Amino acid sequence: MSKIMFDYTKSVLERVSFDPMLFCKELEKAIKTLLPYEMEQLREWLLSFTIGRPELKQCLLIVNS
């Protein structure tokens, strides 16, 4: 079931990536629900996802704190 939550989180983040504030808000929600090993996967995914989206780089601070 956790894979489902992780995939859902990625899906939501991809859909809201047009708005950095909304993206950060959804990322904060995801942090509260994902398991520790899923958070590591999310960090890796975020690094690759934000390469072409410099406006979202600020949200990486949320995950790294």
Side-chain angles (χ1 to χ4, degrees):
M1 171 137 155
S2 60
K3 174 78 169 136
I4 294 169
M5 194 62 191
F6 179 71
D7 289 341
Y8 174 74
T9 298
K10 286 192 328 185
S11 172
V12 168
L13 290 171
E14 287 172 348
R15 283 185 265 147
V16 300
S17 64
F18 65 92
D19 181 357
M21 293 301 290
L22 188 54
F23 187 86
C24 289
K25 192 177 205 181
E26 289 298 328
L27 187 56
E28 288 173 350
K29 284 188 210 177
I31 289 169
K32 294 176 185 174
T33 60
L34 294 177
L35 298 172
Y37 74 92
E38 292 173 319
M39 282 304 302
E40 185 57 39
Q41 292 175 336
L42 184 64
R43 274 188 204 94
E44 292 172 13
W45 178 81
L46 280 170
L47 286 174
S48 65
F49 184 74
T50 58
I51 287 174
R53 298 169 181 87
E55 68 277 5
L56 300 177
K57 293 269 186 195
Q58 65 188 6
C59 298
L60 292 176
L61 296 174
I62 296 170
V63 176
N64 293 328
S65 59

